Amino acid sequence: MSAYTISEIAMHGFQLTFFTQQDRLHGKQPLAQWLLSLVKSLGIRGGTLSGAQQGIGHDGIAHAVNLFDLGDQPVQVTLVATPEEVDKLLKHLAQENVQLFYVKAAVEFGTTGQASNDD
């Protein structure tokens, strides 16, 4: 086994975070779930769906989780990908005419430790 330093394994790309609400749909599927499926189908290594307690939408309206309506819950999908993967994803969203607010930030990413054969 050889030792690796972070600089030898680090990659550069972007963190994309998409913001939406639990009740938004793409076709008959929740938009955030559809987005995660799209990320997987494009070969992007992963994404995380997170729910928030409350948020203010681009229209200035407050959206929040409440006992009677979980559909208004703000959610976000976050992923880290190479520049090529990000371009592919954003082009696909444009072709599907999906309107989503997102934040794109340059990042360095990698994996610590060694992969085990136990998987």
Side-chain angles (χ1 to χ4, degrees):
M1 282 194 259
S2 63
Y4 294 98
T5 64
I6 290 177
S7 64
E8 290 175 313
I9 61 171
M11 297 175 62
H12 293 88
F14 296 98
Q15 176 178 320
L16 279 178
T17 303
F18 296 93
F19 297 87
T20 187
Q21 289 148 238
Q22 184 66 33
D23 61 355
R24 280 199 57 201
L25 300 176
H26 183 73
K28 294 182 179 183
Q29 188 175 14
L31 180 60
Q33 293 292 334
W34 175 84
L35 185 57
L36 280 177
S37 296
L38 175 61
V39 164
K40 183 178 180 180
S41 74
L42 294 175
I44 298 172
R45 287 174 286 286
T48 301
L49 172 61
S50 304
Q53 294 296 315
Q54 185 173 355
I56 304 287
H58 62 82
D59 53 6
I61 296 174
H63 301 276
V65 175
N66 68 58
L67 260 23
F68 305 107
D69 182 13
L70 295 178
D72 197 39
Q73 179 181 18
V75 296
Q76 61 190 45
V77 174
T78 303
L79 60 107
V80 176
T82 66
E84 297 79 19
E85 292 168 333
V86 168
D87 287 344
K88 188 188 306 185
L89 174 59
L90 292 176
K91 285 178 185 173
H92 193 92
L93 291 172
Q95 289 171 347
E96 291 275 335
N97 198 27
V98 175
Q99 186 177 26
L100 271 170
F101 178 78
Y102 70 91
V103 174
K104 177 180 168 183
V107 294
E108 179 180 289
F109 61 97
T111 304
T112 61
Q114 303 244 345
S116 70
N117 293 331
D118 297 337
D119 295 337

